[in-house]
Amino acid sequence: MCLLAALIALCTAPAVGQSDPAREMLLRMDPPDAALRYTVIGRETALMPWDIESIDLSESGGITDIFIRLAPEAAATLAAMTELASGSRMVVRICGHVLRDTDVTEANPTGTLYLPNTTAARGEAVRALWQGRTRCDRLAPEVFADGN
């Protein structure tokens, strides 16, 4: 959050004298994507990169599971939403592609979104999105194609 506040202050501060090259570079950068979204009880929640603490991958036999660990505020929102959603559907999308569609059976107090049975390519793409190394519109279409 401190980095975001510093970037906002830098980008909105009045220019003094000559143009600051770092400020100009920041102004040319694309804003981050809310690449990950989940919908539960009819409410869509977009997660920005700073809402995610880490993305861990577990791979075995060509199958990859993704564990998206949320920052405290985003984790609290997930817990509250899932507490209200028992028996409802929860859909998790990355770049608009459904990676999980499941019934909510209990509250999620862990702050972790679990995306099972996917691929290493998808897992690495999710990490790259979070780290700002790519954007949804720059990912190869085959990353989220069926069978990948």
Side-chain angles (χ1 to χ4, degrees), residues 9-55:
L10 182 62
C11 290
T12 58
V16 178
Q18 289 187 321
S19 172
D20 179 8
R23 182 175 185 273
E24 286 183 21
M25 182 184 77
L26 284 172
L27 289 173
R28 285 194 302 267
M29 289 175 61
D30 293 328
D33 277 337
L36 192 144
R37 299 170 185 272
Y38 67 88
T39 304
V40 65
I41 58 174
R43 178 176 174 215
E44 182 176 81
T45 302
L47 296 173
M48 298 301 287
W50 49 83
D51 293 324
I52 298 171
E53 278 191 355
S54 67
I55 295 177

Side-chain angles (χ1 to χ4, degrees), residues 53-95:
E53 278 191 355
S54 67
I55 295 177
D56 299 312
L57 306 178
S58 173
E59 189 172 15
S60 177
I63 297 173
T64 301
D65 294 339
I66 304 171
F67 298 86
I68 300 170
R69 301 189 197 294
L70 303 181
E73 190 173 310
T77 300
L78 176 64
M81 294 299 294
T82 54
E83 185 174 341
L84 296 171
S86 185
S88 299
R89 299 297 291 169
M90 179 174 186
V91 178
V92 180
R93 290 180 178 82
I94 297 179
C95 296

